[in-house]
């Protein structure tokens, strides 16, 4: 069945350093890849997404890259700040008929001041 | 815009009981999806409603059922509760692919 793997499960960085989270997906028909940030006691918040017709997308300190051939995609956060500390989820779905979203297991990011 | 709202915030039920969770989608959104999130895991897709019909379903038993009303709000019903049903239940609304999540309902089954 469809599956999304995510690494690492925990990540600790110094404030100002960069953080990278990597994901792989199994369904080759997936073509929409959102990333979510979940803070304690809250629901996941969409922070950035990428579609299969592009290889990279940036939004201020956040960037995502996609390698469809290898079925890999990554989240890059530069100049990390303490408020970036949260659990991050990658996900994959198909942009057809509002397909269900398959989530990875999550990465707990801690930014140390 | 209030965003996606869910009620109640927390709920404690006994094994074997039934529960109903409610969700109001973001203004203008016509599709509602429900997810179960166990502690320390990613959300797992339960089902999706569009135009008052279940459009997609994940790998969950028939004890999990839902409904969507004409105003696009939705309910999730779980019958014959098991201890393993304890989780955060998330509702997400969407108009196209971008899903917006509510804060969730924390269900504890004792």
């Amino acid at each position: 069945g469809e599956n999304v793997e995510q690494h690492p499960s925990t990540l600790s960085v110094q404030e100002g350093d960069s953080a990278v989270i990597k994901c792989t997906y199994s369904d080759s028909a997936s073509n929409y890849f959102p990333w979510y940030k979940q803070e304690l006691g809250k629901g996941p918040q969409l922070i950035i997404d990428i579609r299969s017709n592009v290889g990279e997308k940036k939004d201020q300190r956040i960037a995502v890259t996609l390698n469809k051939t290898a079925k890999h995609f990554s989240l890059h956060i530069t100049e990390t700040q303490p408020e970036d500390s949260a659990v991050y989820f990658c996900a994959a779905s198909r942009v057809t008929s509002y397909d269900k979203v398959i989530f990875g297991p999550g990465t707990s990011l801690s930014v140390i001041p | 815009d209030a965003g996606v709202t869910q009620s109640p915030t927390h709920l404690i039920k006994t094994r074997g009981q039934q529960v109903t969770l409610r969700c109001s989608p973001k203004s203008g959104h016509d599709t509602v999806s429900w997810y179960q999130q166990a502690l320390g895991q990613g959300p797992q897709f339960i089902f999706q409603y569009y135009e008052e019909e279940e459009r997609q379903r994940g790998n969950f038993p028939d004890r999990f059922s839902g409904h969507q009303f004409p105003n696009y709000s939705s309910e999730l019903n779980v019958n014959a509760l098991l201890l393993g049903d304890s989780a955060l239940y998330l509702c997400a609304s969407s108009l196209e692919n971008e899903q917006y999540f509510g804060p969730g309902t924390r269900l504890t089954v004792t």
Side-chain angles (χ1 to χ4, degrees):
Chain A
E2 303 127 328
N3 185 50
V4 175
E5 296 184 355
Q6 183 172 350
H7 300 280
S9 57
T10 60
L11 180 59
S12 183
V13 299
Q14 291 289 332
E15 182 178 357
D17 288 349
S18 295
V20 179
I21 302 170
K22 298 184 178 182
C23 291
T24 59
Y25 60 96
S26 61
D27 182 5
S28 56
S30 295
N31 52 14
Y32 175 66
F33 306 93
W35 285 86
Y36 291 87
K37 175 184 181 182
Q38 188 173 25
E39 296 174 318
L40 203 61
K42 298 184 178 180
Q45 175 192 5
L46 178 68
I47 57 172
I48 195 166
D49 57 17
I50 189 168
R51 296 170 192 256
S52 60
N53 57 346
V54 299
E56 183 175 358
K57 182 176 178 180
K58 277 187 177 180
D59 183 3
Q60 299 182 339
R61 297 185 297 108
I62 295 175
V64 291
T65 59
L66 172 65
N67 182 331
K68 277 219 77 176
T69 303
K71 291 192 280 187
H72 290 173
F73 58 116
S74 300
L75 175 73
H76 303 250
I77 305 174
T78 59
E79 300 173 17
T80 53
Q81 301 167 4
E83 51 265 38
D84 294 330
S85 296
V87 178
Y88 290 80
F89 293 98
C90 60
S93 74
R94 306 178 191 179
V95 185
T96 53
S97 303
Y98 308 99
D99 195 61
K100 61 181 180 287
V101 179
I102 306 298
F103 282 79
T107 296
S108 178
L109 173 65
S110 297
V111 179
I112 304 166
Chain B
D1 181 6
V4 179
T5 60
Q6 292 185 243
S7 64
T9 306
H10 295 89
L11 203 51
I12 300 175
K13 289 287 189 178
T14 303
R15 196 170 36 182
Q17 287 187 317
Q18 178 265 345
V19 68
T20 298
L21 311 181
R22 295 177 175 81
C23 171
S24 292
K26 187 176 170 67
S27 178
H29 286 188
D30 58 5
T31 301
V32 173
S33 301
W34 287 91
Y35 293 81
Q36 180 194 66
Q37 186 177 24
L39 204 60
Q41 296 183 23
Q44 299 291 315
F45 177 79
I46 303 175
F47 43 53
Q48 182 184 86
Y49 277 84
Y50 172 70
E51 291 190 345
E52 303 179 52
E53 294 288 331
E54 182 183 291
R55 179 160 62 179
Q56 290 258 356
R57 189 177 183 92
N59 189 26
F60 279 80
D62 292 344
R63 299 186 297 107
F64 290 77
S65 63
H67 188 76
Q68 185 179 35
F69 299 94
N71 66 353
Y72 305 129
S73 67
S74 177
E75 288 181 350
L76 164 66
N77 300 293
V78 186
N79 293 323
L81 284 167
L82 303 174
L83 296 179
D85 294 332
S86 296
L88 180 68
Y89 288 84
L90 295 162
C91 167
S93 74
S94 55
L95 185 58
E96 293 185 352
N97 284 94
E98 294 185 3
Q99 289 196 344
Y100 293 85
F101 283 83
T105 293
R106 173 70 62 185
L107 172 65
T108 301
V109 182
T110 63

